[in-house]
Amino acid sequence: EAARNYTPYPYMETSDPNVIYKAEGFIFPSTYMFDIGMNEKDMLAMMVKEFNTQMNKENIPEEAEKQKMSIRDLVNMAALVEMEAVFKEEQPRIAGVFLRRLEIYMPIQSDTTIPDTRIQNPYNTYQNPGLPPGPISSPGMSAIKAVLNPEKTEYLYFVAEKDGHHRFTKTYAEHLKAIEDIHGPQ
């Protein structure tokens, strides 16, 4: 409940009614020491303040502005990258795929945004173009930096290998073949 309308920094604000927890995405993933008896609002304030501190320490607002990207969109995209990438070294490539898809007006199609891609929901990136209404998780700094420094790639698709790495492909036909190679005939 504390996260529902907590927006101490202007970049957290949104008027989109589909965003239920406005603090989602802006809670810095770290280890925190909470005082005994500390309430949820104070805990949330500490974690959101740490997010803002880390963003400024890494000059993220300046970098985002150079790329004409809002902090909210940056965090939104980084949350998708964070949830897709099991291995940090793949984050820049995954960011590159998602950004390329947006560039050519192709749906992002991330399985991380909704459990069933047939469900009609504003967060369904298979049915809805562009970014979801808000971040789906709180990304780490490596995912945020990956979005600001994506791998320039021709890839449009990727599928998870059994070990958590991804196989990247350029065409839908190659993607279907990769799925069959990894998971067997569908």
Side-chain angles (χ1 to χ4, degrees), residues 3-14 19-30 32 43-55 60-61 64 69-79 123 131-141 144:
R4 198 173 282 274
N5 290 307
Y6 186 66
T7 58
Y9 303 104
Y11 57 76
M12 295 173 69
E13 294 172 7
T14 179
V19 177
I20 297 169
Y21 302 104
K22 292 180 181 159
E24 181 74 52
F26 303 97
I27 300 166
F28 195 73
S30 188
Y32 295 90
M43 290 178 193
L44 179 63
M46 180 188 287
M47 294 185 287
V48 169
K49 182 179 179 188
E50 183 63 16
F51 175 88
N52 193 63
T53 299
Q54 292 300 322
M55 293 287 281
I60 301 300
M69 185 180 285
S70 72
I71 299 294
R72 178 164 265 293
D73 285 351
L74 168 62
V75 172
N76 200 345
M77 177 63 76
Y123 281 84
L131 290 168
I136 59 166
S137 69
S138 290
M141 192 54 68
I144 292 168

CSV table of all heavy atoms in Angstrom, one decimal, residues 3-14 19-30 32 43-55 60-61 64 69-79 123 131-141 144:
chain,number,residue,atom,x,y,z
A,3,ALA,N,3.6,1.7,-1.5
A,3,ALA,CA,4.2,2.0,-2.8
A,3,ALA,C,3.1,2.5,-3.8
A,3,ALA,O,3.5,2.9,-4.9
A,3,ALA,CB,4.8,0.7,-3.3
A,4,ARG,N,1.9,2.5,-3.5
A,4,ARG,CA,0.8,2.8,-4.4
A,4,ARG,C,1.0,4.2,-5.0
A,4,ARG,O,0.9,4.4,-6.3
A,4,ARG,CB,-0.5,2.7,-3.8
A,4,ARG,CG,-1.7,2.6,-4.7
A,4,ARG,CD,-3.0,2.2,-4.0
A,4,ARG,NE,-3.1,0.8,-3.6
A,4,ARG,CZ,-3.6,-0.1,-4.4
A,4,ARG,NH1,-4.0,0.2,-5.7
A,4,ARG,NH2,-3.7,-1.3,-4.0
A,5,ASN,N,1.2,5.2,-4.2
A,5,ASN,CA,1.2,6.6,-4.7
A,5,ASN,C,2.5,7.3,-4.3
A,5,ASN,O,2.5,8.6,-4.3
A,5,ASN,CB,0.0,7.4,-4.3
A,5,ASN,CG,-1.2,6.9,-5.0
A,5,ASN,OD1,-1.3,6.8,-6.3
A,5,ASN,ND2,-2.3,6.5,-4.3
A,6,TYR,N,3.5,6.6,-3.9
A,6,TYR,CA,4.7,7.2,-3.4
A,6,TYR,C,5.6,7.7,-4.6
A,6,TYR,O,6.1,6.8,-5.3
A,6,TYR,CB,5.5,6.3,-2.5
A,6,TYR,CG,6.7,6.9,-1.8
A,6,TYR,CD1,6.5,7.9,-0.9
A,6,TYR,CD2,7.9,6.5,-2.1
A,6,TYR,CE1,7.6,8.5,-0.3
A,6,TYR,CE2,9.1,7.0,-1.5
A,6,TYR,CZ,8.9,8.0,-0.6
A,6,TYR,OH,10.0,8.6,0.0
A,7,THR,N,5.7,9.0,-4.8
A,7,THR,CA,6.5,9.5,-5.9
A,7,THR,C,7.2,10.8,-5.4
A,7,THR,O,6.9,11.9,-5.8
A,7,THR,CB,5.6,9.9,-7.1
A,7,THR,OG1,4.6,10.8,-6.6
A,7,THR,CG2,4.9,8.7,-7.7
A,8,PRO,N,8.3,10.6,-4.6
A,8,PRO,CA,9.0,11.8,-4.1
A,8,PRO,C,9.8,12.5,-5.2
A,8,PRO,O,10.2,13.6,-5.0
A,8,PRO,CB,9.9,11.2,-3.0
A,8,PRO,CG,10.1,9.8,-3.4
A,8,PRO,CD,8.8,9.4,-4.1
A,9,TYR,N,10.1,11.8,-6.3
A,9,TYR,CA,10.9,12.4,-7.4
A,9,TYR,C,10.0,12.6,-8.6
A,9,TYR,O,9.3,11.7,-8.9
A,9,TYR,CB,12.1,11.6,-7.7
A,9,TYR,CG,13.0,11.4,-6.4
A,9,TYR,CD1,13.0,10.1,-5.7
A,9,TYR,CD2,13.8,12.4,-5.9
A,9,TYR,CE1,13.7,10.0,-4.6
A,9,TYR,CE2,14.5,12.2,-4.8
A,9,TYR,CZ,14.5,11.0,-4.1
A,9,TYR,OH,15.2,10.8,-3.0
A,10,PRO,N,10.1,13.7,-9.3
A,10,PRO,CA,9.2,13.9,-10.5
A,10,PRO,C,9.3,12.8,-11.5
A,10,PRO,O,8.2,12.5,-12.1
A,10,PRO,CB,9.7,15.3,-11.0
A,10,PRO,CG,10.4,15.9,-9.9
A,10,PRO,CD,11.0,14.8,-9.0
A,11,TYR,N,10.4,12.2,-11.7
A,11,TYR,CA,10.5,11.1,-12.7
A,11,TYR,C,9.7,9.9,-12.4
A,11,TYR,O,9.4,9.1,-13.3
A,11,TYR,CB,11.9,10.7,-13.0
A,11,TYR,CG,12.7,10.3,-11.9
A,11,TYR,CD1,12.6,9.0,-11.3
A,11,TYR,CD2,13.7,11.1,-11.3
A,11,TYR,CE1,13.3,8.6,-10.2
A,11,TYR,CE2,14.5,10.7,-10.2
A,11,TYR,CZ,14.3,9.4,-9.7
A,11,TYR,OH,15.0,9.0,-8.6
A,12,MET,N,9.2,9.8,-11.2
A,12,MET,CA,8.4,8.6,-10.8
A,12,MET,C,6.9,8.8,-11.1
A,12,MET,O,6.1,7.9,-11.2
A,12,MET,CB,8.5,8.4,-9.3
A,12,MET,CG,9.9,8.0,-8.9
A,12,MET,SD,10.1,7.9,-7.1
A,12,MET,CE,9.0,6.4,-6.7
A,13,GLU,N,6.5,10.1,-11.3
A,13,GLU,CA,5.1,10.4,-11.5
A,13,GLU,C,4.6,9.9,-12.8
A,13,GLU,O,5.3,9.9,-13.8
A,13,GLU,CB,4.9,11.9,-11.4
A,13,GLU,CG,5.2,12.4,-10.0
A,13,GLU,CD,5.2,13.9,-9.9
A,13,GLU,OE1,4.8,14.6,-10.9
A,13,GLU,OE2,5.6,14.4,-8.8
A,14,THR,N,3.3,9.4,-12.8
A,14,THR,CA,2.6,9.0,-14.0
A,14,THR,C,1.1,9.2,-13.7
A,14,THR,O,0.6,9.0,-12.6
A,14,THR,CB,2.9,7.6,-14.4
A,14,THR,OG1,2.1,7.3,-15.5
A,14,THR,CG2,2.5,6.6,-13.3
A,19,VAL,N,-1.0,1.9,-13.9
A,19,VAL,CA,0.1,1.8,-12.9
A,19,VAL,C,-0.4,1.8,-11.5
A,19,VAL,O,-0.8,2.9,-11.0
A,19,VAL,CB,1.2,2.9,-13.2
A,19,VAL,CG1,2.3,2.8,-12.1
A,19,VAL,CG2,1.7,2.8,-14.6
A,20,ILE,N,-0.5,0.7,-10.9
A,20,ILE,CA,-1.1,0.6,-9.6
A,20,ILE,C,-0.1,1.0,-8.5
A,20,ILE,O,-0.4,1.7,-7.5
A,20,ILE,CB,-1.5,-0.9,-9.3
A,20,ILE,CG1,-2.7,-1.2,-10.3
A,20,ILE,CG2,-2.0,-1.0,-7.9
A,20,ILE,CD1,-3.1,-2.6,-10.4
A,21,TYR,N,1.2,0.6,-8.6
A,21,TYR,CA,2.2,0.9,-7.6
A,21,TYR,C,3.3,1.9,-8.3
A,21,TYR,O,4.1,1.4,-9.0
A,21,TYR,CB,2.9,-0.3,-7.1
A,21,TYR,CG,1.9,-1.3,-6.5
A,21,TYR,CD1,1.5,-2.4,-7.1
A,21,TYR,CD2,1.4,-1.0,-5.2
A,21,TYR,CE1,0.5,-3.2,-6.6
A,21,TYR,CE2,0.4,-1.8,-4.6
A,21,TYR,CZ,0.0,-2.9,-5.3
A,21,TYR,OH,-0.9,-3.8,-4.7
A,22,LYS,N,3.1,3.1,-8.1
A,22,LYS,CA,4.0,4.1,-8.7
A,22,LYS,C,5.4,4.0,-8.3
A,22,LYS,O,6.3,4.4,-9.1
A,22,LYS,CB,3.4,5.5,-8.5
A,22,LYS,CG,2.1,5.7,-9.2
A,22,LYS,CD,1.5,7.1,-9.0
A,22,LYS,CE,0.2,7.2,-9.7
A,22,LYS,NZ,-0.6,8.2,-9.2
A,23,ALA,N,5.7,3.4,-7.2
A,23,ALA,CA,7.1,3.3,-6.8
A,23,ALA,C,7.8,2.0,-7.4
A,23,ALA,O,9.0,1.9,-7.4
A,23,ALA,CB,7.2,3.1,-5.2
A,24,GLU,N,7.0,1.2,-8.0
A,24,GLU,CA,7.5,0.0,-8.7
A,24,GLU,C,8.6,0.4,-9.7
A,24,GLU,O,8.4,1.3,-10.5
A,24,GLU,CB,6.4,-0.8,-9.4
A,24,GLU,CG,6.9,-2.1,-10.1
A,24,GLU,CD,7.3,-3.2,-9.2
A,24,GLU,OE1,6.4,-3.5,-8.3
A,24,GLU,OE2,8.4,-3.7,-9.3
A,25,GLY,N,9.7,-0.2,-9.6
A,25,GLY,CA,10.8,0.1,-10.6
A,25,GLY,C,11.9,1.0,-10.0
A,25,GLY,O,13.0,1.1,-10.4
A,26,PHE,N,11.5,1.8,-8.9
A,26,PHE,CA,12.3,2.8,-8.4
A,26,PHE,C,12.8,2.5,-7.0
A,26,PHE,O,13.2,3.4,-6.2
A,26,PHE,CB,11.6,4.2,-8.4
A,26,PHE,CG,11.1,4.5,-9.8
A,26,PHE,CD1,9.8,4.3,-10.2
A,26,PHE,CD2,12.0,5.1,-10.7
A,26,PHE,CE1,9.4,4.6,-11.5
A,26,PHE,CE2,11.6,5.4,-12.0
A,26,PHE,CZ,10.3,5.1,-12.4
A,27,ILE,N,12.7,1.2,-6.6
A,27,ILE,CA,13.2,0.7,-5.4
A,27,ILE,C,14.6,0.1,-5.7
A,27,ILE,O,14.6,-0.9,-6.4
A,27,ILE,CB,12.2,-0.3,-4.8
A,27,ILE,CG1,10.9,0.4,-4.5
A,27,ILE,CG2,12.8,-0.9,-3.5
A,27,ILE,CD1,9.7,-0.5,-4.3
A,28,PHE,N,15.6,0.6,-5.2
A,28,PHE,CA,17.0,0.1,-5.5
A,28,PHE,C,17.2,-1.2,-4.9
A,28,PHE,O,17.1,-1.4,-3.7
A,28,PHE,CB,18.1,1.1,-5.2
A,28,PHE,CG,19.4,0.8,-5.8
A,28,PHE,CD1,19.5,1.1,-7.2
A,28,PHE,CD2,20.4,0.2,-5.1
A,28,PHE,CE1,20.7,0.8,-7.9
A,28,PHE,CE2,21.6,-0.1,-5.8
A,28,PHE,CZ,21.7,0.2,-7.1
A,29,PRO,N,17.6,-2.2,-5.7
A,29,PRO,CA,17.9,-3.6,-5.2
A,29,PRO,C,19.2,-3.6,-4.5
A,29,PRO,O,20.3,-3.3,-5.1
A,29,PRO,CB,17.9,-4.5,-6.5
A,29,PRO,CG,18.1,-3.5,-7.6
A,29,PRO,CD,17.6,-2.2,-7.2
A,30,SER,N,19.2,-3.8,-3.2
A,30,SER,CA,20.4,-3.8,-2.4
A,30,SER,C,20.1,-4.4,-1.1
A,30,SER,O,19.0,-4.9,-0.9
A,30,SER,CB,20.9,-2.3,-2.2
A,30,SER,OG,22.1,-2.3,-1.6
A,32,TYR,N,19.6,-3.7,2.9
A,32,TYR,CA,19.3,-2.6,3.7
A,32,TYR,C,19.3,-3.0,5.2
A,32,TYR,O,18.9,-4.1,5.5
A,32,TYR,CB,18.0,-2.0,3.4
A,32,TYR,CG,17.9,-1.4,2.0
A,32,TYR,CD1,17.6,-2.1,0.9
A,32,TYR,CD2,18.3,-0.1,1.8
A,32,TYR,CE1,17.6,-1.6,-0.4
A,32,TYR,CE2,18.3,0.5,0.5
A,32,TYR,CZ,17.9,-0.3,-0.6
A,32,TYR,OH,17.9,0.3,-1.8
A,43,MET,N,10.7,2.4,5.3
A,43,MET,CA,11.5,1.4,4.5
A,43,MET,C,11.5,1.8,3.0
A,43,MET,O,12.5,1.8,2.4
A,43,MET,CB,11.0,0.0,4.7
A,43,MET,CG,11.2,-0.5,6.1
A,43,MET,SD,10.5,-2.2,6.1
A,43,MET,CE,10.5,-2.5,7.9
A,44,LEU,N,10.3,2.0,2.5
A,44,LEU,CA,10.2,2.4,1.1
A,44,LEU,C,10.9,3.7,0.8
A,44,LEU,O,11.6,3.8,-0.2
A,44,LEU,CB,8.7,2.5,0.7
A,44,LEU,CG,8.4,2.9,-0.7
A,44,LEU,CD1,8.9,1.8,-1.7
A,44,LEU,CD2,6.9,3.2,-0.9
A,45,ALA,N,10.8,4.7,1.6
A,45,ALA,CA,11.5,6.0,1.5
A,45,ALA,C,13.0,5.7,1.4
A,45,ALA,O,13.7,6.3,0.6
A,45,ALA,CB,11.1,6.9,2.6
A,46,MET,N,13.5,4.9,2.2
A,46,MET,CA,15.0,4.6,2.3
A,46,MET,C,15.4,4.0,0.9
A,46,MET,O,16.4,4.4,0.4
A,46,MET,CB,15.3,3.7,3.4
A,46,MET,CG,16.8,3.3,3.5
A,46,MET,SD,17.1,2.0,4.8
A,46,MET,CE,16.8,3.0,6.3
A,47,MET,N,14.6,3.0,0.4
A,47,MET,CA,15.0,2.3,-0.8
A,47,MET,C,14.9,3.2,-2.0
A,47,MET,O,15.7,3.1,-2.9
A,47,MET,CB,14.2,1.0,-0.9
A,47,MET,CG,14.5,0.0,0.2
A,47,MET,SD,13.7,-1.6,0.1
A,47,MET,CE,12.0,-1.2,0.5
A,48,VAL,N,13.8,4.0,-2.1
A,48,VAL,CA,13.7,4.9,-3.2
A,48,VAL,C,14.7,6.0,-3.2
A,48,VAL,O,15.3,6.4,-4.2
A,48,VAL,CB,12.2,5.5,-3.2
A,48,VAL,CG1,12.1,6.6,-4.2
A,48,VAL,CG2,11.2,4.4,-3.5
A,49,LYS,N,15.1,6.5,-2.0
A,49,LYS,CA,16.1,7.5,-1.9
A,49,LYS,C,17.5,6.9,-2.4
A,49,LYS,O,18.2,7.5,-3.1
A,49,LYS,CB,16.3,8.0,-0.4
A,49,LYS,CG,17.3,9.0,-0.3
A,49,LYS,CD,17.4,9.5,1.2
A,49,LYS,CE,18.5,10.6,1.3
A,49,LYS,NZ,18.8,10.9,2.6
A,50,GLU,N,17.7,5.6,-2.1
A,50,GLU,CA,18.9,4.9,-2.5
A,50,GLU,C,18.9,4.8,-4.0
A,50,GLU,O,20.0,5.0,-4.7
A,50,GLU,CB,19.1,3.6,-1.9
A,50,GLU,CG,20.4,2.9,-2.2
A,50,GLU,CD,21.6,3.6,-1.8
A,50,GLU,OE1,21.6,4.5,-0.9
A,50,GLU,OE2,22.7,3.2,-2.3
A,51,PHE,N,17.8,4.6,-4.6
A,51,PHE,CA,17.7,4.5,-6.1
A,51,PHE,C,18.1,5.9,-6.7
A,51,PHE,O,18.9,5.9,-7.6
A,51,PHE,CB,16.2,4.2,-6.5
A,51,PHE,CG,16.0,4.2,-8.0
A,51,PHE,CD1,16.3,3.1,-8.8
A,51,PHE,CD2,15.6,5.4,-8.6
A,51,PHE,CE1,16.1,3.2,-10.2
A,51,PHE,CE2,15.4,5.5,-10.0
A,51,PHE,CZ,15.7,4.4,-10.8
A,52,ASN,N,17.6,6.9,-6.1
A,52,ASN,CA,17.9,8.3,-6.6
A,52,ASN,C,19.4,8.6,-6.4
A,52,ASN,O,20.0,9.1,-7.3
A,52,ASN,CB,17.0,9.3,-5.9
A,52,ASN,CG,17.1,10.7,-6.6
A,52,ASN,OD1,16.7,10.8,-7.7
A,52,ASN,ND2,17.6,11.6,-5.9
A,53,THR,N,19.9,8.2,-5.3
A,53,THR,CA,21.3,8.4,-5.0
A,53,THR,C,22.2,7.7,-6.0
A,53,THR,O,23.1,8.3,-6.6
A,53,THR,CB,21.7,8.0,-3.6
A,53,THR,OG1,20.9,8.7,-2.6
A,53,THR,CG2,23.1,8.1,-3.2
A,54,GLN,N,21.9,6.4,-6.3
A,54,GLN,CA,22.7,5.6,-7.2
A,54,GLN,C,22.6,6.2,-8.6
A,54,GLN,O,23.6,6.2,-9.4
A,54,GLN,CB,22.3,4.2,-7.1
A,54,GLN,CG,22.7,3.5,-5.8
A,54,GLN,CD,24.1,3.5,-5.5
A,54,GLN,OE1,25.0,3.4,-6.4
A,54,GLN,NE2,24.5,3.7,-4.3
A,55,MET,N,21.4,6.6,-9.0
A,55,MET,CA,21.2,7.1,-10.3
A,55,MET,C,22.0,8.4,-10.5
A,55,MET,O,22.7,8.5,-11.6
A,55,MET,CB,19.7,7.5,-10.6
A,55,MET,CG,18.8,6.3,-10.6
A,55,MET,SD,19.0,5.3,-12.1
A,55,MET,CE,18.0,6.3,-13.2
A,60,ILE,N,23.2,8.9,-14.4
A,60,ILE,CA,22.2,8.3,-15.3
A,60,ILE,C,21.2,9.4,-15.8
A,60,ILE,O,20.9,9.3,-17.0
A,60,ILE,CB,21.4,7.2,-14.6
A,60,ILE,CG1,22.4,6.0,-14.1
A,60,ILE,CG2,20.3,6.6,-15.4
A,60,ILE,CD1,23.2,5.4,-15.2
A,61,PRO,N,20.8,10.3,-15.0
A,61,PRO,CA,19.8,11.3,-15.6
A,61,PRO,C,20.5,12.1,-16.8
A,61,PRO,O,19.8,12.3,-17.8
A,61,PRO,CB,19.5,12.3,-14.4
A,61,PRO,CG,19.7,11.4,-13.2
A,61,PRO,CD,20.9,10.5,-13.6
A,64,ALA,N,20.6,9.7,-19.8
A,64,ALA,CA,19.3,9.5,-20.4
A,64,ALA,C,18.8,10.7,-21.2
A,64,ALA,O,18.3,10.6,-22.3
A,64,ALA,CB,18.3,9.2,-19.3
A,69,MET,N,15.7,10.1,-23.6
A,69,MET,CA,14.9,9.1,-22.9
A,69,MET,C,14.6,9.6,-21.5
A,69,MET,O,15.4,10.0,-20.8
A,69,MET,CB,15.8,7.8,-22.9
A,69,MET,CG,15.0,6.6,-22.3
A,69,MET,SD,16.0,5.1,-22.3
A,69,MET,CE,16.1,4.7,-24.0
A,70,SER,N,13.3,9.4,-21.2
A,70,SER,CA,12.9,9.8,-19.8
A,70,SER,C,13.4,8.8,-18.8
A,70,SER,O,13.6,7.6,-19.2
A,70,SER,CB,11.4,9.9,-19.7
A,70,SER,OG,10.8,8.6,-19.8
A,71,ILE,N,13.6,9.2,-17.6
A,71,ILE,CA,14.0,8.2,-16.6
A,71,ILE,C,12.9,7.1,-16.4
A,71,ILE,O,13.3,5.9,-16.3
A,71,ILE,CB,14.2,8.9,-15.2
A,71,ILE,CG1,15.3,10.0,-15.3
A,71,ILE,CG2,14.5,7.9,-14.1
A,71,ILE,CD1,16.7,9.4,-15.6
A,72,ARG,N,11.7,7.5,-16.5
A,72,ARG,CA,10.6,6.5,-16.4
A,72,ARG,C,10.7,5.4,-17.5
A,72,ARG,O,10.6,4.2,-17.2
A,72,ARG,CB,9.2,7.2,-16.4
A,72,ARG,CG,8.1,6.2,-16.3
A,72,ARG,CD,6.8,6.9,-16.0
A,72,ARG,NE,6.5,6.9,-14.5
A,72,ARG,CZ,6.2,5.8,-13.9
A,72,ARG,NH1,6.2,4.6,-14.5
A,72,ARG,NH2,5.9,5.8,-12.6
A,73,ASP,N,10.9,5.9,-18.7
A,73,ASP,CA,11.0,4.9,-19.8
A,73,ASP,C,12.3,4.1,-19.7
A,73,ASP,O,12.3,2.9,-20.0
A,73,ASP,CB,11.0,5.6,-21.2
A,73,ASP,CG,9.6,6.1,-21.6
A,73,ASP,OD1,8.6,5.7,-20.9
A,73,ASP,OD2,9.5,6.8,-22.6
A,74,LEU,N,13.4,4.7,-19.3
A,74,LEU,CA,14.6,4.0,-19.1
A,74,LEU,C,14.4,2.9,-18.1
A,74,LEU,O,14.8,1.7,-18.3
A,74,LEU,CB,15.7,5.0,-18.6
A,74,LEU,CG,17.0,4.4,-18.1
A,74,LEU,CD1,17.7,3.6,-19.2
A,74,LEU,CD2,17.9,5.5,-17.6
A,75,VAL,N,13.8,3.2,-16.9
A,75,VAL,CA,13.6,2.2,-15.9
A,75,VAL,C,12.6,1.1,-16.3
A,75,VAL,O,12.8,-0.1,-16.1
A,75,VAL,CB,13.2,2.9,-14.6
A,75,VAL,CG1,12.8,1.9,-13.5
A,75,VAL,CG2,14.3,3.8,-14.0
A,76,ASN,N,11.6,1.5,-17.1
A,76,ASN,CA,10.6,0.6,-17.6
A,76,ASN,C,11.3,-0.4,-18.5
A,76,ASN,O,11.1,-1.6,-18.4
A,76,ASN,CB,9.6,1.4,-18.4
A,76,ASN,CG,8.3,0.6,-18.6
A,76,ASN,OD1,8.2,-0.6,-18.4
A,76,ASN,ND2,7.3,1.3,-19.0
A,77,MET,N,12.2,0.0,-19.4
A,77,MET,CA,12.9,-0.9,-20.3
A,77,MET,C,13.9,-1.7,-19.6
A,77,MET,O,14.0,-2.9,-19.8
A,77,MET,CB,13.6,-0.1,-21.4
A,77,MET,CG,14.4,-0.9,-22.4
A,77,MET,SD,13.5,-2.1,-23.3
A,77,MET,CE,12.8,-1.1,-24.5
A,78,ALA,N,14.6,-1.1,-18.6
A,78,ALA,CA,15.6,-1.8,-17.8
A,78,ALA,C,15.0,-2.9,-17.0
A,78,ALA,O,15.6,-4.0,-16.8
A,78,ALA,CB,16.4,-0.8,-16.9
A,79,ALA,N,13.7,-2.7,-16.5
A,79,ALA,CA,13.1,-3.7,-15.8
A,79,ALA,C,12.8,-5.0,-16.7
A,79,ALA,O,13.0,-6.1,-16.2
A,79,ALA,CB,11.7,-3.2,-15.2
A,123,TYR,N,-0.4,-4.5,-19.8
A,123,TYR,CA,1.0,-4.9,-19.7
A,123,TYR,C,1.4,-6.1,-20.6
A,123,TYR,O,2.5,-6.5,-20.7
A,123,TYR,CB,1.3,-5.4,-18.2
A,123,TYR,CG,1.5,-4.3,-17.3
A,123,TYR,CD1,0.4,-3.6,-16.7
A,123,TYR,CD2,2.8,-3.8,-17.0
A,123,TYR,CE1,0.6,-2.5,-15.8
A,123,TYR,CE2,3.0,-2.7,-16.2
A,123,TYR,CZ,1.9,-2.1,-15.6
A,123,TYR,OH,2.1,-1.0,-14.7
A,131,LEU,N,6.2,0.3,-24.7
A,131,LEU,CA,6.5,-0.2,-23.4
A,131,LEU,C,5.2,-0.4,-22.6
A,131,LEU,O,4.2,0.2,-22.9
A,131,LEU,CB,7.3,0.9,-22.7
A,131,LEU,CG,8.8,1.1,-23.1
A,131,LEU,CD1,9.4,2.4,-22.5
A,131,LEU,CD2,9.6,-0.1,-22.8
A,132,PRO,N,5.3,-1.3,-21.6
A,132,PRO,CA,4.1,-1.4,-20.7
A,132,PRO,C,3.9,-0.1,-19.9
A,132,PRO,O,4.8,0.7,-19.9
A,132,PRO,CB,4.5,-2.6,-19.8
A,132,PRO,CG,6.0,-2.7,-19.9
A,132,PRO,CD,6.4,-2.1,-21.2
A,133,PRO,N,2.8,0.0,-19.3
A,133,PRO,CA,2.5,1.3,-18.6
A,133,PRO,C,3.5,1.7,-17.5
A,133,PRO,O,3.7,2.9,-17.3
A,133,PRO,CB,1.1,1.0,-17.9
A,133,PRO,CG,0.5,-0.1,-18.7
A,133,PRO,CD,1.6,-0.9,-19.2
A,134,GLY,N,4.1,0.7,-16.9
A,134,GLY,CA,5.2,1.0,-15.9
A,134,GLY,C,6.1,-0.2,-15.8
A,134,GLY,O,5.9,-1.2,-16.3
A,135,PRO,N,7.2,0.1,-15.0
A,135,PRO,CA,8.2,-1.0,-14.8
A,135,PRO,C,7.5,-2.2,-14.1
A,135,PRO,O,6.7,-2.1,-13.3
A,135,PRO,CB,9.2,-0.4,-13.8
A,135,PRO,CG,9.0,1.1,-14.0
A,135,PRO,CD,7.6,1.3,-14.3
A,136,ILE,N,8.0,-3.4,-14.5
A,136,ILE,CA,7.5,-4.7,-13.9
A,136,ILE,C,8.4,-5.2,-12.8
A,136,ILE,O,8.0,-6.2,-12.2
A,136,ILE,CB,7.4,-5.8,-15.0
A,136,ILE,CG1,8.7,-6.0,-15.7
A,136,ILE,CG2,6.3,-5.4,-16.0
A,136,ILE,CD1,8.8,-7.3,-16.5
A,137,SER,N,9.5,-4.5,-12.5
A,137,SER,CA,10.4,-4.9,-11.4
A,137,SER,C,11.3,-3.7,-11.2
A,137,SER,O,11.2,-2.7,-11.9
A,137,SER,CB,11.2,-6.1,-11.8
A,137,SER,OG,12.1,-5.8,-12.8
A,138,SER,N,12.1,-3.8,-10.2
A,138,SER,CA,13.1,-2.8,-9.9
A,138,SER,C,14.5,-3.3,-10.4
A,138,SER,O,15.1,-4.2,-9.9
A,138,SER,CB,13.2,-2.5,-8.4
A,138,SER,OG,12.0,-1.9,-7.9
A,139,PRO,N,14.9,-2.7,-11.5
A,139,PRO,CA,16.1,-3.1,-12.2
A,139,PRO,C,17.4,-2.7,-11.4
A,139,PRO,O,17.4,-1.7,-10.7
A,139,PRO,CB,16.1,-2.5,-13.6
A,139,PRO,CG,15.3,-1.2,-13.3
A,139,PRO,CD,14.3,-1.6,-12.3
A,140,GLY,N,18.4,-3.5,-11.6
A,140,GLY,CA,19.7,-3.2,-11.0
A,140,GLY,C,20.4,-2.2,-12.0
A,140,GLY,O,20.0,-2.0,-13.1
A,141,MET,N,21.6,-1.7,-11.5
A,141,MET,CA,22.3,-0.7,-12.3
A,141,MET,C,22.8,-1.2,-13.6
A,141,MET,O,22.9,-0.5,-14.6
A,141,MET,CB,23.4,-0.1,-11.4
A,141,MET,CG,24.1,1.1,-12.0
A,141,MET,SD,22.9,2.5,-12.4
A,141,MET,CE,22.4,3.0,-10.8
A,144,ILE,N,20.1,-1.0,-16.2
A,144,ILE,CA,19.9,0.4,-16.5
A,144,ILE,C,21.0,0.9,-17.5
A,144,ILE,O,20.7,1.5,-18.5
A,144,ILE,CB,19.8,1.3,-15.3
A,144,ILE,CG1,18.6,1.0,-14.5
A,144,ILE,CG2,19.9,2.8,-15.6
A,144,ILE,CD1,18.5,1.6,-13.1
